[in-house]
PDB file of all heavy atoms in Angstrom:
ATOM      1  N   ILE A 145       5.605  12.735  25.747  1.00 96.00           N
ATOM      2  CA  ILE A 145       6.746  13.083  26.569  1.00 96.00           C
ATOM      3  C   ILE A 145       7.290  14.541  26.273  1.00 96.00           C
ATOM      4  O   ILE A 145       8.491  14.880  26.646  1.00 96.00           O
ATOM      5  CB  ILE A 145       7.926  12.021  26.425  1.00 96.00           C
ATOM      6  CG1 ILE A 145       8.436  11.887  24.965  1.00 96.00           C
ATOM      7  CG2 ILE A 145       7.342  10.641  26.997  1.00 96.00           C
ATOM      8  CD1 ILE A 145       9.457  11.022  24.767  1.00 96.00           C
ATOM      9  N   GLU A 146       6.560  15.281  25.685  1.00 94.00           N
ATOM     10  CA  GLU A 146       7.087  16.534  25.117  1.00 94.00           C
ATOM     11  C   GLU A 146       7.617  17.554  26.268  1.00 94.00           C
ATOM     12  O   GLU A 146       8.620  18.199  26.041  1.00 94.00           O
ATOM     13  CB  GLU A 146       5.926  17.276  24.372  1.00 94.00           C
ATOM     14  CG  GLU A 146       6.318  18.660  23.837  1.00 94.00           C
ATOM     15  CD  GLU A 146       5.443  19.851  24.681  1.00 94.00           C
ATOM     16  OE1 GLU A 146       4.645  19.417  25.393  1.00 94.00           O
ATOM     17  OE2 GLU A 146       5.769  20.971  24.466  1.00 94.00           O
ATOM     18  N   LYS A 147       6.890  17.555  27.400  1.00 93.00           N
ATOM     19  CA  LYS A 147       7.292  18.420  28.478  1.00 93.00           C
ATOM     20  C   LYS A 147       8.523  17.968  29.238  1.00 93.00           C
ATOM     21  O   LYS A 147       8.986  18.719  29.986  1.00 93.00           O
ATOM     22  CB  LYS A 147       6.118  18.710  29.375  1.00 93.00           C
ATOM     23  CG  LYS A 147       5.632  17.512  30.177  1.00 93.00           C
ATOM     24  CD  LYS A 147       4.483  18.030  30.996  1.00 93.00           C
ATOM     25  CE  LYS A 147       3.906  16.802  31.914  1.00 93.00           C
ATOM     26  NZ  LYS A 147       2.744  17.336  32.690  1.00 93.00           N
ATOM     27  N   TYR A 148       9.013  16.623  28.969  1.00 96.00           N
ATOM     28  CA  TYR A 148      10.001  16.162  29.762  1.00 96.00           C
ATOM     29  C   TYR A 148      11.331  16.068  28.821  1.00 96.00           C
ATOM     30  O   TYR A 148      12.453  15.869  29.262  1.00 96.00           O
ATOM     31  CB  TYR A 148       9.715  14.650  30.135  1.00 96.00           C
ATOM     32  CG  TYR A 148       8.487  14.507  30.882  1.00 96.00           C
ATOM     33  CD1 TYR A 148       7.357  13.964  30.251  1.00 96.00           C
ATOM     34  CD2 TYR A 148       8.434  14.962  32.153  1.00 96.00           C
ATOM     35  CE1 TYR A 148       6.210  13.869  31.044  1.00 96.00           C
ATOM     36  CE2 TYR A 148       7.184  14.859  32.946  1.00 96.00           C
ATOM     37  CZ  TYR A 148       6.091  14.240  32.361  1.00 96.00           C
ATOM     38  OH  TYR A 148       5.025  14.137  33.026  1.00 96.00           O
ATOM     39  N   ILE A 149      11.165  16.317  27.514  1.00 96.00           N
ATOM     40  CA  ILE A 149      12.270  16.136  26.519  1.00 96.00           C
ATOM     41  C   ILE A 149      13.059  17.481  26.432  1.00 96.00           C
ATOM     42  O   ILE A 149      12.371  18.596  26.352  1.00 96.00           O
ATOM     43  CB  ILE A 149      11.712  15.735  25.188  1.00 96.00           C
ATOM     44  CG1 ILE A 149      11.296  14.239  25.181  1.00 96.00           C
ATOM     45  CG2 ILE A 149      12.835  15.867  24.194  1.00 96.00           C
ATOM     46  CD1 ILE A 149      12.547  13.336  25.449  1.00 96.00           C
ATOM     47  N   VAL A 150      14.405  17.485  26.213  1.00 96.00           N
ATOM     48  CA  VAL A 150      15.158  18.710  25.898  1.00 96.00           C
ATOM     49  C   VAL A 150      15.910  18.502  24.686  1.00 96.00           C
ATOM     50  O   VAL A 150      16.076  17.356  24.213  1.00 96.00           O
ATOM     51  CB  VAL A 150      16.197  18.911  27.159  1.00 96.00           C
ATOM     52  CG1 VAL A 150      15.413  19.187  28.514  1.00 96.00           C
ATOM     53  CG2 VAL A 150      17.145  17.807  27.305  1.00 96.00           C
ATOM     54  N   GLU A 151      16.440  19.601  24.236  1.00 95.00           N
ATOM     55  CA  GLU A 151      17.303  19.622  23.010  1.00 95.00           C
ATOM     56  C   GLU A 151      18.647  18.885  23.338  1.00 95.00           C
ATOM     57  O   GLU A 151      19.101  19.099  24.436  1.00 95.00           O
ATOM     58  CB  GLU A 151      17.557  20.916  22.424  1.00 95.00           C
ATOM     59  CG  GLU A 151      18.383  20.971  21.327  1.00 95.00           C
ATOM     60  CD  GLU A 151      18.702  22.459  20.819  1.00 95.00           C
ATOM     61  OE1 GLU A 151      18.062  23.333  21.270  1.00 95.00           O
ATOM     62  OE2 GLU A 151      19.583  22.623  19.922  1.00 95.00           O
ATOM     63  N   GLY A 152      18.864  18.021  22.457  1.00 96.00           N
ATOM     64  CA  GLY A 152      20.188  17.305  22.684  1.00 96.00           C
ATOM     65  C   GLY A 152      19.915  15.826  23.264  1.00 96.00           C
ATOM     66  O   GLY A 152      18.973  15.238  22.843  1.00 96.00           O
ATOM     67  N   GLU A 153      20.742  15.394  24.161  1.00 97.00           N
ATOM     68  CA  GLU A 153      20.775  14.075  24.732  1.00 97.00           C
ATOM     69  C   GLU A 153      19.598  13.941  25.725  1.00 97.00           C
ATOM     70  O   GLU A 153      19.490  14.812  26.635  1.00 97.00           O
ATOM     71  CB  GLU A 153      22.113  13.692  25.363  1.00 97.00           C
ATOM     72  CG  GLU A 153      22.037  12.139  25.649  1.00 97.00           C
ATOM     73  CD  GLU A 153      23.456  11.775  26.042  1.00 97.00           C
ATOM     74  OE1 GLU A 153      23.877  11.956  27.257  1.00 97.00           O
ATOM     75  OE2 GLU A 153      24.243  11.070  25.217  1.00 97.00           O
ATOM     76  N   ASN A 154      18.827  12.826  25.621  1.00 98.00           N
ATOM     77  CA  ASN A 154      17.770  12.623  26.552  1.00 98.00           C
ATOM     78  C   ASN A 154      17.895  11.054  27.128  1.00 98.00           C
ATOM     79  O   ASN A 154      18.379  10.153  26.362  1.00 98.00           O
ATOM     80  CB  ASN A 154      16.453  12.775  26.072  1.00 98.00           C
ATOM     81  CG  ASN A 154      16.198  14.215  25.680  1.00 98.00           C
ATOM     82  OD1 ASN A 154      15.472  14.904  26.464  1.00 98.00           O
ATOM     83  ND2 ASN A 154      16.640  14.805  24.506  1.00 98.00           N
ATOM     84  N   ASP A 155      17.375  10.937  28.288  1.00 98.00           N
ATOM     85  CA  ASP A 155      17.502   9.652  28.887  1.00 98.00           C
ATOM     86  C   ASP A 155      16.157   8.948  29.197  1.00 98.00           C
ATOM     87  O   ASP A 155      15.317   9.633  29.764  1.00 98.00           O
ATOM     88  CB  ASP A 155      18.307   9.861  30.405  1.00 98.00           C
ATOM     89  CG  ASP A 155      18.723   8.570  30.978  1.00 98.00           C
ATOM     90  OD1 ASP A 155      19.737   7.975  30.606  1.00 98.00           O
ATOM     91  OD2 ASP A 155      17.988   8.017  31.742  1.00 98.00           O
ATOM     92  N   ILE A 156      16.029   7.773  28.714  1.00 98.00           N
ATOM     93  CA  ILE A 156      14.713   7.117  28.751  1.00 98.00           C
ATOM     94  C   ILE A 156      15.154   5.763  29.657  1.00 98.00           C
ATOM     95  O   ILE A 156      15.861   5.113  29.476  1.00 98.00           O
ATOM     96  CB  ILE A 156      14.278   6.525  27.363  1.00 98.00           C
ATOM     97  CG1 ILE A 156      13.932   7.709  26.479  1.00 98.00           C
ATOM     98  CG2 ILE A 156      12.921   5.896  27.637  1.00 98.00           C
ATOM     99  CD1 ILE A 156      13.474   7.226  25.110  1.00 98.00           C
ATOM    100  N   THR A 157      14.268   5.706  30.787  1.00 98.00           N
ATOM    101  CA  THR A 157      14.289   4.568  31.670  1.00 98.00           C
ATOM    102  C   THR A 157      13.051   4.003  31.817  1.00 98.00           C
ATOM    103  O   THR A 157      11.949   4.706  31.988  1.00 98.00           O
ATOM    104  CB  THR A 157      14.896   5.046  33.120  1.00 98.00           C
ATOM    105  OG1 THR A 157      16.084   5.747  32.887  1.00 98.00           O
ATOM    106  CG2 THR A 157      14.999   3.819  33.994  1.00 98.00           C
ATOM    107  N   VAL A 158      12.952   2.619  31.744  1.00 98.00           N
ATOM    108  CA  VAL A 158      11.797   1.863  31.712  1.00 98.00           C
ATOM    109  C   VAL A 158      11.851   0.716  32.796  1.00 98.00           C
ATOM    110  O   VAL A 158      12.863  -0.019  32.861  1.00 98.00           O
ATOM    111  CB  VAL A 158      11.520   1.234  30.352  1.00 98.00           C
ATOM    112  CG1 VAL A 158      10.144   0.400  30.406  1.00 98.00           C
ATOM    113  CG2 VAL A 158      11.415   2.255  29.289  1.00 98.00           C
ATOM    114  N   LYS A 159      10.816   0.638  33.683  1.00 98.00           N
ATOM    115  CA  LYS A 159      10.797  -0.517  34.676  1.00 98.00           C
ATOM    116  C   LYS A 159       9.569  -1.270  34.104  1.00 98.00           C
ATOM    117  O   LYS A 159       8.451  -0.822  34.032  1.00 98.00           O
ATOM    118  CB  LYS A 159      10.617  -0.102  36.035  1.00 98.00           C
ATOM    119  CG  LYS A 159      10.337  -1.092  37.095  1.00 98.00           C
ATOM    120  CD  LYS A 159       9.984  -0.572  38.385  1.00 98.00           C
ATOM    121  CE  LYS A 159       9.765  -1.593  39.509  1.00 98.00           C
ATOM    122  NZ  LYS A 159       9.360  -1.047  40.816  1.00 98.00           N
ATOM    123  N   VAL A 160       9.853  -2.731  34.162  1.00 98.00           N
ATOM    124  CA  VAL A 160       8.794  -3.665  33.787  1.00 98.00           C
ATOM    125  C   VAL A 160       8.586  -4.663  34.824  1.00 98.00           C
ATOM    126  O   VAL A 160       9.693  -5.320  35.283  1.00 98.00           O
ATOM    127  CB  VAL A 160       8.896  -4.244  32.433  1.00 98.00           C
ATOM    128  CG1 VAL A 160       7.706  -5.093  32.123  1.00 98.00           C
ATOM    129  CG2 VAL A 160       9.201  -3.285  31.353  1.00 98.00           C
ATOM    130  N   GLN A 161       7.511  -4.789  35.394  1.00 98.00           N
ATOM    131  CA  GLN A 161       7.251  -5.773  36.454  1.00 98.00           C
ATOM    132  C   GLN A 161       6.304  -6.757  35.966  1.00 98.00           C
ATOM    133  O   GLN A 161       5.216  -6.507  35.414  1.00 98.00           O
ATOM    134  CB  GLN A 161       6.610  -5.084  37.619  1.00 98.00           C
ATOM    135  CG  GLN A 161       6.505  -6.102  38.880  1.00 98.00           C
ATOM    136  CD  GLN A 161       6.006  -5.216  40.144  1.00 98.00           C
ATOM    137  OE1 GLN A 161       6.052  -4.114  40.260  1.00 98.00           O
ATOM    138  NE2 GLN A 161       5.480  -5.978  41.169  1.00 98.00           N
ATOM    139  N   ASP A 162       6.827  -8.141  35.992  1.00 98.00           N
ATOM    140  CA  ASP A 162       5.893  -9.177  35.552  1.00 98.00           C
ATOM    141  C   ASP A 162       5.746 -10.151  36.731  1.00 98.00           C
ATOM    142  O   ASP A 162       6.181  -9.960  37.956  1.00 98.00           O
ATOM    143  CB  ASP A 162       6.626  -9.929  34.492  1.00 98.00           C
ATOM    144  CG  ASP A 162       5.639 -10.711  33.473  1.00 98.00           C
ATOM    145  OD1 ASP A 162       4.543 -10.761  33.735  1.00 98.00           O
ATOM    146  OD2 ASP A 162       6.329 -11.528  32.601  1.00 98.00           O
ATOM    147  N   SER A 163       5.041 -11.205  36.578  1.00 97.00           N
ATOM    148  CA  SER A 163       4.720 -12.198  37.602  1.00 97.00           C
ATOM    149  C   SER A 163       4.300 -13.531  36.891  1.00 97.00           C
ATOM    150  O   SER A 163       4.023 -13.583  35.781  1.00 97.00           O
ATOM    151  CB  SER A 163       3.675 -11.769  38.487  1.00 97.00           C
ATOM    152  OG  SER A 163       2.364 -11.801  37.911  1.00 97.00           O
ATOM    153  N   LEU A 164       4.149 -14.575  37.769  1.00 97.00           N
ATOM    154  CA  LEU A 164       3.594 -15.846  37.196  1.00 97.00           C
ATOM    155  C   LEU A 164       2.032 -15.849  37.658  1.00 97.00           C
ATOM    156  O   LEU A 164       1.406 -16.949  37.580  1.00 97.00           O
ATOM    157  CB  LEU A 164       4.233 -17.013  37.862  1.00 97.00           C
ATOM    158  CG  LEU A 164       5.658 -17.171  37.569  1.00 97.00           C
ATOM    159  CD1 LEU A 164       6.278 -18.324  38.229  1.00 97.00           C
ATOM    160  CD2 LEU A 164       5.857 -17.294  36.069  1.00 97.00           C
ATOM    161  N   SER A 165       1.381 -14.698  38.080  1.00 97.00           N
ATOM    162  CA  SER A 165      -0.044 -14.656  38.453  1.00 97.00           C
ATOM    163  C   SER A 165      -0.917 -15.136  37.376  1.00 97.00           C
ATOM    164  O   SER A 165      -0.858 -14.808  36.169  1.00 97.00           O
ATOM    165  CB  SER A 165      -0.306 -13.127  38.916  1.00 97.00           C
ATOM    166  OG  SER A 165      -1.715 -13.017  38.997  1.00 97.00           O
ATOM    167  N   LYS A 166      -1.799 -15.937  37.729  1.00 98.00           N
ATOM    168  CA  LYS A 166      -2.843 -16.370  36.936  1.00 98.00           C
ATOM    169  C   LYS A 166      -4.087 -15.329  36.812  1.00 98.00           C
ATOM    170  O   LYS A 166      -4.924 -15.547  36.018  1.00 98.00           O
ATOM    171  CB  LYS A 166      -3.473 -17.738  37.376  1.00 98.00           C
ATOM    172  CG  LYS A 166      -2.390 -18.933  37.266  1.00 98.00           C
ATOM    173  CD  LYS A 166      -3.072 -20.231  37.470  1.00 98.00           C
ATOM    174  CE  LYS A 166      -3.505 -20.399  38.840  1.00 98.00           C
ATOM    175  NZ  LYS A 166      -3.980 -21.952  39.108  1.00 98.00           N
ATOM    176  N   ASP A 167      -3.828 -14.134  37.482  1.00 98.00           N
ATOM    177  CA  ASP A 167      -4.847 -13.181  37.316  1.00 98.00           C
ATOM    178  C   ASP A 167      -4.602 -12.290  36.144  1.00 98.00           C
ATOM    179  O   ASP A 167      -5.507 -11.602  35.602  1.00 98.00           O
ATOM    180  CB  ASP A 167      -4.887 -12.275  38.578  1.00 98.00           C
ATOM    181  CG  ASP A 167      -5.667 -12.936  39.703  1.00 98.00           C
ATOM    182  OD1 ASP A 167      -6.366 -13.885  39.443  1.00 98.00           O
ATOM    183  OD2 ASP A 167      -5.718 -12.413  40.860  1.00 98.00           O
ATOM    184  N   GLN A 168      -3.454 -12.317  35.642  1.00 97.00           N
ATOM    185  CA  GLN A 168      -3.124 -11.425  34.427  1.00 97.00           C
ATOM    186  C   GLN A 168      -3.174 -12.014  33.097  1.00 97.00           C
ATOM    187  O   GLN A 168      -2.824 -13.347  33.118  1.00 97.00           O
ATOM    188  CB  GLN A 168      -1.634 -10.778  34.612  1.00 97.00           C
ATOM    189  CG  GLN A 168      -0.528 -11.816  34.366  1.00 97.00           C
ATOM    190  CD  GLN A 168       0.817 -11.080  34.738  1.00 97.00           C
ATOM    191  OE1 GLN A 168       0.953 -10.509  35.824  1.00 97.00           O
ATOM    192  NE2 GLN A 168       1.705 -11.178  33.786  1.00 97.00           N
ATOM    193  N   PRO A 169      -3.644 -11.477  32.040  1.00 98.00           N
ATOM    194  CA  PRO A 169      -3.753 -12.183  30.791  1.00 98.00           C
ATOM    195  C   PRO A 169      -2.339 -12.660  30.455  1.00 98.00           C
ATOM    196  O   PRO A 169      -1.328 -11.872  30.210  1.00 98.00           O
ATOM    197  CB  PRO A 169      -4.231 -11.068  29.739  1.00 98.00           C
ATOM    198  CG  PRO A 169      -4.983 -10.199  30.716  1.00 98.00           C
ATOM    199  CD  PRO A 169      -4.172 -10.141  32.038  1.00 98.00           C
ATOM    200  N   ARG A 170      -2.206 -13.901  30.160  1.00 97.00           N
ATOM    201  CA  ARG A 170      -0.830 -14.533  29.801  1.00 97.00           C
ATOM    202  C   ARG A 170      -0.760 -15.467  28.730  1.00 97.00           C
ATOM    203  O   ARG A 170       0.218 -15.857  28.257  1.00 97.00           O
ATOM    204  CB  ARG A 170      -0.195 -15.143  31.167  1.00 97.00           C
ATOM    205  CG  ARG A 170      -0.966 -16.307  31.745  1.00 97.00           C
ATOM    206  CD  ARG A 170      -0.305 -16.697  33.069  1.00 97.00           C
ATOM    207  NE  ARG A 170       1.159 -16.635  33.075  1.00 97.00           N
ATOM    208  CZ  ARG A 170       1.976 -15.717  33.605  1.00 97.00           C
ATOM    209  NH1 ARG A 170       1.464 -14.749  34.306  1.00 97.00           N
ATOM    210  NH2 ARG A 170       3.328 -15.851  33.502  1.00 97.00           N
ATOM    211  N   GLY A 171      -2.037 -16.026  28.234  1.00 98.00           N
ATOM    212  CA  GLY A 171      -1.963 -16.904  27.084  1.00 98.00           C
ATOM    213  C   GLY A 171      -1.137 -18.109  27.355  1.00 98.00           C
ATOM    214  O   GLY A 171      -1.405 -18.913  28.364  1.00 98.00           O
ATOM    215  N   LYS A 172      -0.164 -18.442  26.487  1.00 98.00           N
ATOM    216  CA  LYS A 172       0.459 -19.775  26.644  1.00 98.00           C
ATOM    217  C   LYS A 172       1.824 -19.531  27.399  1.00 98.00           C
ATOM    218  O   LYS A 172       2.642 -20.457  27.531  1.00 98.00           O
ATOM    219  CB  LYS A 172       0.905 -20.143  25.265  1.00 98.00           C
ATOM    220  CG  LYS A 172      -0.311 -20.598  24.396  1.00 98.00           C
ATOM    221  CD  LYS A 172      -1.333 -21.463  25.082  1.00 98.00           C
ATOM    222  CE  LYS A 172      -0.988 -22.925  24.950  1.00 98.00           C
ATOM    223  NZ  LYS A 172      -0.983 -23.443  23.601  1.00 98.00           N
ATOM    224  N   GLN A 173       2.078 -18.391  28.051  1.00 98.00           N
ATOM    225  CA  GLN A 173       3.186 -18.256  28.986  1.00 98.00           C
ATOM    226  C   GLN A 173       2.893 -18.987  30.282  1.00 98.00           C
ATOM    227  O   GLN A 173       1.834 -18.872  30.835  1.00 98.00           O
ATOM    228  CB  GLN A 173       3.366 -16.728  29.296  1.00 98.00           C
ATOM    229  CG  GLN A 173       3.681 -15.803  28.105  1.00 98.00           C
ATOM    230  CD  GLN A 173       3.878 -14.419  28.645  1.00 98.00           C
ATOM    231  OE1 GLN A 173       4.684 -14.084  29.505  1.00 98.00           O
ATOM    232  NE2 GLN A 173       3.062 -13.506  28.144  1.00 98.00           N
ATOM    233  N   ARG A 174       3.814 -19.773  30.687  1.00 97.00           N
ATOM    234  CA  ARG A 174       3.742 -20.608  31.813  1.00 97.00           C
ATOM    235  C   ARG A 174       3.579 -19.789  33.177  1.00 97.00           C
ATOM    236  O   ARG A 174       3.910 -18.673  33.160  1.00 97.00           O
ATOM    237  CB  ARG A 174       4.943 -21.578  31.985  1.00 97.00           C
ATOM    238  CG  ARG A 174       6.295 -20.670  32.283  1.00 97.00           C
ATOM    239  CD  ARG A 174       7.484 -21.661  32.193  1.00 97.00           C
ATOM    240  NE  ARG A 174       8.760 -20.821  32.431  1.00 97.00           N
ATOM    241  CZ  ARG A 174       9.991 -21.349  32.324  1.00 97.00           C
ATOM    242  NH1 ARG A 174      10.169 -22.575  31.732  1.00 97.00           N
ATOM    243  NH2 ARG A 174      10.976 -20.591  32.500  1.00 97.00           N
ATOM    244  N   TYR A 175       2.733 -20.359  33.974  1.00 97.00           N
ATOM    245  CA  TYR A 175       2.438 -19.731  35.390  1.00 97.00           C
ATOM    246  C   TYR A 175       3.112 -20.700  36.456  1.00 97.00           C
ATOM    247  O   TYR A 175       2.700 -20.397  37.681  1.00 97.00           O
ATOM    248  CB  TYR A 175       1.027 -19.507  35.586  1.00 97.00           C
ATOM    249  CG  TYR A 175       0.095 -20.692  35.162  1.00 97.00           C
ATOM    250  CD1 TYR A 175      -0.194 -21.584  36.179  1.00 97.00           C
ATOM    251  CD2 TYR A 175      -0.551 -20.699  34.030  1.00 97.00           C
ATOM    252  CE1 TYR A 175      -1.005 -22.664  35.833  1.00 97.00           C
ATOM    253  CE2 TYR A 175      -1.453 -21.728  33.699  1.00 97.00           C
ATOM    254  CZ  TYR A 175      -1.653 -22.755  34.652  1.00 97.00           C
ATOM    255  OH  TYR A 175      -2.591 -23.684  34.292  1.00 97.00           O
ATOM    256  N   LYS A 176       4.071 -21.589  36.104  1.00 95.00           N
ATOM    257  CA  LYS A 176       4.835 -22.259  36.975  1.00 95.00           C
ATOM    258  C   LYS A 176       6.317 -22.005  36.504  1.00 95.00           C
ATOM    259  O   LYS A 176       6.504 -21.368  35.551  1.00 95.00           O
ATOM    260  CB  LYS A 176       4.587 -23.843  36.843  1.00 95.00           C
ATOM    261  CG  LYS A 176       3.143 -24.205  37.102  1.00 95.00           C
ATOM    262  CD  LYS A 176       3.023 -25.747  36.853  1.00 95.00           C
ATOM    263  CE  LYS A 176       1.468 -26.157  37.048  1.00 95.00           C
ATOM    264  NZ  LYS A 176       1.291 -27.613  36.844  1.00 95.00           N
TER     265      LYS A 176
END
Side-chain angles (χ1 to χ4, degrees):
I145 59 173
E146 177 251 349
K147 66 180 180 181
Y148 308 107
I149 289 288
V150 297
E151 181 183 346
E153 188 173 79
N154 290 265
D155 190 81
I156 302 176
T157 303
V158 179
K159 175 187 179 183
V160 187
Q161 184 172 348
D162 202 5
S163 74
L164 296 181
S165 170
K166 294 195 286 185
D167 278 353
Q168 71 187 52
R170 59 188 315 108
K172 301 305 274 303
Q173 298 182 57
R174 63 191 181 189
Y175 47 84
K176 302 176 183 178

